[in-house]
Amino acid sequence: MNHTLIIADDHPVFRKGLINILKSEKSFQVIGEAADGGEALKIIMQHNPNVAILDIDMPVLGGLEVCRKALKLKSQTRFIILTMFKEEDLFNEAMNIGVSGYVLKDNAVSDIINCIYSVAQNDLYISPDIKQYLTTRKGKQIIDEEISKKLLKITTSELRILKLVSENKSSKEIAALLFISQKTVENHRSNICRKMELEGNYALIKFAAECKNSL
Amino acid sequence: MNHTLIIADDHPVFRKGLINILKSEKSFQVIGEAADGGEALKIIMQHNPNVAILDIDMPVLGGLEVCRKALKLKSQTRFIILTMFKEEDLFNEAMNIGVSGYVLKDNAVSDIINCIYSVAQNDLYISPDIKQYLTTRKGKQIIDEEISKKLLKITTSELRILKLVSENKSSKEIAALLFISQKTVENHRSNICRKMELEGNYALIKFAAECKNSL
DNA sequence: TCGAATATGAGGGTCAACACCTATGTTTTA
DNA sequence: TAAAACATAGGTGTTGACCCTCATATTCGA
């Protein structure tokens, strides 16, 4: 089976080099190339390649914007981001937008080729380095673990209320929802704060807003 | 090259079935199996398999806990979560813990095999269905885009203050930090609320807590 | 069975956020 | 240059979060 590709990168040497490498793979067919994001978007919408390989840092439109716009225009193309950046935020943004592959430029050529194969088969591929990076993120995990430990001390009613707080409900609204007194809700809130060792102004609101996904 | 595997799942039929399927792959060698998480952890620490395939929902210890504990004990084993759940939160938790693969039980057998190969090569593999799921998450992305659009209306001073709010600072503290009047800070806060179309109690605090990562 | 934890409710107070208003000097822009 | 936007600052008032103490009924574990 043949996979049609387009490449977008503003560095000609890198772009041509990559195209050359991909030529050695018989099942890949590079049907277009672009030196900036605007051009890339145009080619994608005109030629509908199976896979688009995009640099993040390009003139006119960045790779992520190209991807975002193309997907909004119902493009069927799948996207690989090929970048020098291994910032977690960029990676997360890429995942949110809906890219199918994320590979670092200094990864092995075989990684890039594997990535294209995976993505062409509708799989998701993330470069080993990025995986490493995500694993290193365990600092965050430790915090989460501590929170989990504290959350164990919390009773059923308290958890019910904590959830409602995280859903932006005020004590009055929670009271109305649960058919209990507003005062009771406030007492529960206080108890939660004590158990979670939260203090200061609006501590529970901040806490609930931050960990609403883990409740 | 040979890859040593262990399988942990509390459903014997599923477990035996999977082992049988994997036997047909010559380069896989199943060196252990477990019906609960405790057993699984023991086998992993004793035999150091290349890859451990874990169910999430198991007695004694869940798959994610096994993974967490093993990694804390410096295990070199790489982990694949094989589950029926496609909840985003579980997936995110798995990624945070540092699993290398995430596959749904109702995925094709070839997906599972591909996953093992990828993971054995130190790649990260995520099941196509989950990818779909993450892509569907674009509802969230649209919100993010709207927030970004609104954030553009915000001035430099306002952004500076918004950042400090997201860092848990009160108006008084911000005033002291920036050598301006607390009243000025409050005015800026009000203006931010208007521009971001935030209303209700503590709206800015909630907003800042939620999008602190995007500022 | 007895004490501890829990769920419920109340009264008291403090403080910060926010909403609305005015005002003045500066900077940017049309 | 005139108008708009911005940063600064103040006033006044409402509301809700959080803190403290107290009280009662129920449930649950030792």
Side-chain angles (χ1 to χ4, degrees):
Chain A
M1 190 176 142
N2 249 27
H3 305 301
T4 53
L5 312 177
I6 77 124
I7 316 273
D9 194 301
D10 57 332
H11 299 95
V13 177
F14 183 88
R15 193 172 68 245
K16 296 297 181 190
L18 181 59
I19 291 175
N20 240 329
I21 289 166
L22 297 180
K23 267 184 189 158
S24 64
E25 294 288 316
K26 293 248 166 86
S27 53
F28 294 163
Q29 190 189 349
V30 180
I31 60 169
E33 55 178 302
D36 66 70
E39 225 180 300
L41 185 60
K42 213 183 290 175
I43 299 178
I44 291 167
M45 297 318 294
Q46 273 174 7
H47 297 93
N48 250 318
N50 297 134
V51 177
I53 301 164
L54 307 173
D55 186 23
I56 284 194
D57 196 15
M58 286 189 295
V60 189
L61 269 183
L64 294 177
E65 274 66 46
V66 172
C67 181
R68 207 198 305 271
K69 282 181 196 291
L71 287 173
K72 197 171 269 175
L73 295 167
K74 313 276 179 202
S75 165
Q76 293 302 306
T77 297
R78 286 184 286 282
F79 296 90
I80 292 172
I81 296 294
L82 189 52
T83 177
M84 291 188 308
F85 308 119
K86 60 173 165 181
E87 273 88 46
E88 187 177 341
D89 287 350
L90 278 178
F91 172 74
N92 285 334
E93 198 189 339
M95 284 299 119
N96 280 334
I97 291 173
V99 313
S100 301
Y102 199 96
V103 182
L104 297 183
K105 282 190 176 175
D106 50 7
N107 279 152
V109 170
S110 64
D111 282 338
I112 297 171
I113 292 177
N114 278 338
C115 179
I116 298 174
Y117 275 119
S118 293
V119 170
Q121 282 167 42
N122 211 10
D123 278 356
L124 189 135
Y125 185 99
I126 286 120
S127 119
D129 282 20
I130 289 283
K131 190 219 144 168
Q132 195 72 36
Y133 202 72
L134 291 176
T135 319
T136 327
R137 204 165 49 138
K138 265 177 232 153
K140 272 190 188 173
Q141 193 56 32
I142 289 165
I143 293 170
D144 284 0
E145 253 182 87
E146 272 173 27
I147 289 176
S148 310
K149 217 177 291 171
K150 286 179 194 164
L151 274 174
L152 290 179
K153 292 185 197 161
I154 268 183
T155 67
T156 321
S157 316
E158 285 164 355
L159 185 61
R160 197 187 318 136
I161 283 171
L162 180 53
K163 273 185 185 162
L164 290 167
V165 170
S166 82
E167 288 163 16
N168 258 327
K169 304 274 194 300
S170 71
S171 293
K172 194 192 263 186
E173 291 170 321
I174 296 172
L177 276 169
L178 302 182
F179 302 106
I180 56 178
S181 149
Q182 179 175 336
K183 213 58 212 182
T184 304
V185 178
E186 285 175 6
N187 284 331
H188 281 309
R189 291 179 77 132
S190 274
N191 292 333
I192 298 170
C193 285
R194 194 171 7 85
K195 288 182 182 175
M196 305 301 288
E197 292 165 45
L198 297 171
E199 30 188 78
N201 295 69
Y202 320 110
L204 227 191
I205 293 181
K206 294 170 189 168
F207 173 76
E210 281 171 39
C211 71
K212 63 160 70 178
N213 296 317
S214 331
L215 298 180
Chain B
M1 190 176 142
N2 249 27
H3 306 301
T4 52
L5 312 177
I6 79 122
I7 317 274
D9 194 300
D10 56 332
H11 299 95
V13 178
F14 183 89
R15 191 172 70 243
K16 295 299 181 189
L18 181 59
I19 291 175
N20 240 327
I21 289 166
L22 298 179
K23 268 185 189 158
S24 63
E25 294 289 314
K26 293 247 168 84
S27 52
F28 294 161
Q29 191 189 349
V30 181
I31 61 168
E33 55 179 300
D36 67 71
E39 225 180 300
L41 185 60
K42 213 183 290 177
I43 299 179
I44 290 167
M45 298 319 294
Q46 273 175 8
H47 297 92
N48 249 319
N50 298 134
V51 177
I53 300 165
L54 306 174
D55 186 22
I56 284 193
D57 194 16
M58 285 189 295
V60 189
L61 270 182
L64 294 178
E65 275 65 48
V66 172
C67 180
R68 206 199 305 273
K69 283 181 195 291
L71 287 172
K72 197 171 268 173
L73 295 168
K74 313 277 179 205
S75 165
Q76 293 302 306
T77 297
R78 286 185 286 283
F79 295 90
I80 293 173
I81 296 294
L82 189 53
T83 176
M84 293 188 307
F85 308 118
K86 58 173 166 184
E87 274 88 44
E88 186 176 342
D89 287 349
L90 277 178
F91 172 74
N92 286 334
E93 197 189 339
M95 285 298 120
N96 280 334
I97 291 173
V99 312
S100 301
Y102 198 95
V103 182
L104 296 183
K105 282 189 176 176
D106 50 6
N107 279 152
V109 171
S110 64
D111 283 338
I112 296 170
I113 292 175
N114 279 338
C115 178
I116 299 174
Y117 276 119
S118 294
V119 170
Q121 282 167 43
N122 211 10
D123 280 355
L124 190 135
Y125 184 100
I126 286 121
S127 122
D129 282 20
I130 289 284
K131 189 219 148 170
Q132 195 71 35
Y133 202 73
L134 292 176
T135 319
T136 326
R137 206 165 49 140
K138 262 178 235 155
K140 272 190 188 175
Q141 192 55 32
I142 290 166
I143 293 170
D144 284 0
E145 254 181 85
E146 273 173 27
I147 289 177
S148 311
K149 217 178 289 171
K150 287 179 194 164
L151 274 173
L152 291 179
K153 293 186 197 163
I154 269 184
T155 67
T156 321
S157 315
E158 284 164 354
L159 184 62
R160 197 186 318 134
I161 283 170
L162 180 53
K163 273 185 186 162
L164 290 167
V165 171
S166 81
E167 287 164 17
N168 258 329
K169 304 275 194 297
S170 70
S171 293
K172 193 191 261 184
E173 291 170 321
I174 296 173
L177 276 169
L178 303 181
F179 302 106
I180 57 179
S181 150
Q182 180 176 334
K183 210 59 212 178
T184 305
V185 177
E186 286 175 7
N187 284 330
H188 281 309
R189 291 177 78 132
S190 272
N191 292 332
I192 298 170
C193 284
R194 196 173 3 84
K195 288 182 183 175
M196 305 301 288
E197 292 165 43
L198 297 171
E199 27 188 79
N201 295 79
Y202 321 110
L204 190 63
I205 292 182
K206 294 171 189 169
F207 172 77
E210 281 171 38
C211 72
K212 64 160 66 178
N213 297 316
S214 330
L215 296 181

